[in-house]
């Protein structure tokens, strides 16, 4: 899917985010070639949870 978006559709970047409490999602993104770009601190007030942002550039 990432190859389709980058090569066929011509997008420059694909990004995704996941909750820090769900590291399995991060592992899937890493296997797809995505790199961690940053951490959005305390983005969910109710849970006071961080969100990890990953991306891959063409």
């Amino acid at each position: 899917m990432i190859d389709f978006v980058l090569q066929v559709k011509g997008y420059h970047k694909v990004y995704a985010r996941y909750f820090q409490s769900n590291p399995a999602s991060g592992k899937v993104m890493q296997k797809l070639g995505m790199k961690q770009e940053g951490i959005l601190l305390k983005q969910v007030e109710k849970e006071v949870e961080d969100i990890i942002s990953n991306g891959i550039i063409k």
Side-chain angles (χ1 to χ4, degrees):
M1 182 58 83
I2 291 176
D3 288 337
F4 174 78
V5 171
L6 293 176
Q7 294 175 8
V8 177
K9 296 303 268 183
Y11 291 144
H12 173 70
K13 179 178 183 176
V14 175
Y15 71 93
R17 298 175 179 164
Y18 68 95
F19 291 112
Q20 189 172 24
S21 63
N22 186 7
S25 290
K27 288 180 182 180
V28 170
M29 292 177 200
Q30 286 178 347
K31 286 182 180 182
L32 293 173
M34 293 184 156
K35 305 287 184 200
Q36 182 175 316
E37 295 184 332
I39 301 173
L40 304 171
L41 299 174
K42 299 180 182 176
Q43 293 295 302
V44 182
E45 283 187 36
K46 184 177 178 184
E47 302 290 328
V48 187
E49 188 167 5
D50 299 342
I51 296 177
I52 312 298
S53 181
N54 288 332
I56 188 168
I57 297 175
K58 189 175 189 179

